[in-house]
Amino acid sequence: MTSLAPSPASFVNAQDRVLNVENLEVAYGEVQVVFGVGLHVSKGELVGLVGGNGSGKSTILRVLSGMLRARAGTATYRQHNLNGVPPHKITDLGVAHVPMGRQLFGQMTVEENLLMGAYLPRTRAGRTQNLQKVYDFFPRLVDKRSTPAAALSGGEQQMVAIGRALMSEPEVLLMDEPSLGLAPLVVSEVMRVIGSLRELGLTVLLVEQNVRQVLKVTDRTYVLELGKLVKVGPSRDLMGDPDIIKAYLGV
Ligand SMILES: Nc1ncnc2c1ncn2[C@@H]1O[C@H](COP(=O)(O)OP(=O)(O)OP(=O)(O)O)[C@@H](O)[C@H]1O
Ligand SMILES: [Mg+2]
């Protein structure tokens, strides 16, 4: 029997997988750091990838954004292979990366930084409209449009970094540690913003060390330890999981 009710994003068919990673093995030179990782993100999902220092989170994101080639396994966006594809081609396909540390041009204004995100020929025509969409989504940036990025607060800089990625008209956003270096209150604010990215129709893979915050905003979360997945599940369930509480949420 088919149900007319929309199924929760976490239980959609394999065909609805926007990002798909299978048996991923990644090494830096001779040193292997990712071992047989498989994960997927379905259309409209906000999925977390968490783990401690050096567990391989950024390494996996680097493969998905074309900065690193996996030694084995597959990484696909819809029907497109991503492994070994150059970063600008991956952005052009619709997968945008919000790098760790935001990597803005500090002396350039907010608006100039945002426009940097519209460098692809595909996105040039719509860039004025997209800029307006970014300002609608981040009203706080409107008054700062002519301010050098370096003069913004950490939270505002993170918004610019997300906004710049949105300028490439992505379907998927890959985010690496957006909470890094931010004060706790600002972290909550940035996480709320990330939660609301779904309203723009985006699919998000969120890499974070801040497990508590991730579990609050994501649909599902993968937990990585020393390059191997140790848990995956609905974030709500993981919040009550004794192993997770002990390792990451300890009071
Ligand atoms: N460019 C590199 N060359 C060699 N080894 C690296 C390089 N980048 C990362 N590594 C190693 O790979 C492993 C995984 O690192 P990675 O940066 O993916 O971890 P992470 O989970 O993102 O950690 P963090 O939370 O600290 O950002 C670590 O042991 C790290 O030392
Ligand atoms: Mg990292």
Side-chain angles (χ1 to χ4, degrees), residues 42-229:
S42 299
K43 177 82 187 156
E45 255 194 324
L46 170 49
V47 170
L49 175 60
V50 300
N53 254 229
S55 56
K57 307 180 296 295
S58 298
T59 299
I60 293 170
L61 271 205
R62 281 183 207 124
V63 171
L64 295 175
S65 58
M67 290 182 284
L68 196 61
R69 185 191 280 267
R71 162 193 283 192
T74 58
T76 54
Y77 161 62
R78 297 197 171 276
Q79 73 279 23
H80 309 281
N81 165 50
L82 298 179
N83 191 19
V85 174
H88 69 278
K89 291 223 168 104
I90 291 183
T91 311
D92 204 13
L93 289 173
V95 180
H97 187 213
V98 183
M100 187 166 81
R102 324 194 232 288
Q103 297 181 14
L104 300 177
F105 296 93
Q107 300 313 308
M108 285 167 56
T109 67
V110 165
E111 188 144 313
E112 285 165 345
N113 271 282
L114 291 174
L115 289 170
M116 297 288 287
Y119 70 94
L120 294 164
R122 165 173 77 72
T123 60
R124 257 175 228 150
R127 66 182 203 160
T128 308
Q129 234 182 333
N130 290 333
L131 194 58
Q132 192 51 52
K133 280 192 206 161
V134 169
Y135 287 133
D136 289 344
F137 193 67
F138 296 117
R140 262 172 73 179
L141 296 182
V142 177
D143 289 343
K144 310 259 169 166
R145 62 205 302 166
S146 305
T147 307
L152 300 186
S153 70
E156 288 164 345
Q157 289 186 10
Q158 188 59 58
M159 290 171 197
V160 176
I162 296 170
R164 180 181 53 189
L166 296 179
M167 292 295 288
S168 69
E169 298 178 12
E171 178 181 25
V172 179
L173 271 191
L174 307 173
M175 310 191 74
D176 198 354
E177 306 265 8
S179 80
L180 196 76
L182 301 180
L185 270 178
V186 184
V187 170
S188 307
E189 190 189 349
V190 166
M191 288 296 170
R192 265 199 305 279
V193 163
I194 293 168
S196 59
L197 286 169
R198 274 176 297 192
E199 291 158 22
L200 299 178
L202 286 158
T203 299
V204 184
L205 179 60
L206 170 62
V207 157
E208 262 295 340
Q209 275 198 40
N210 194 327
V211 180
R212 191 185 298 275
Q213 291 287 346
V214 166
L215 294 180
K216 275 192 208 160
V217 296
T218 55
D219 300 307
R220 285 188 305 121
T221 295
Y222 291 88
V223 184
L224 203 58
E225 274 175 20
L226 299 172
K228 291 182 186 156
L229 283 179

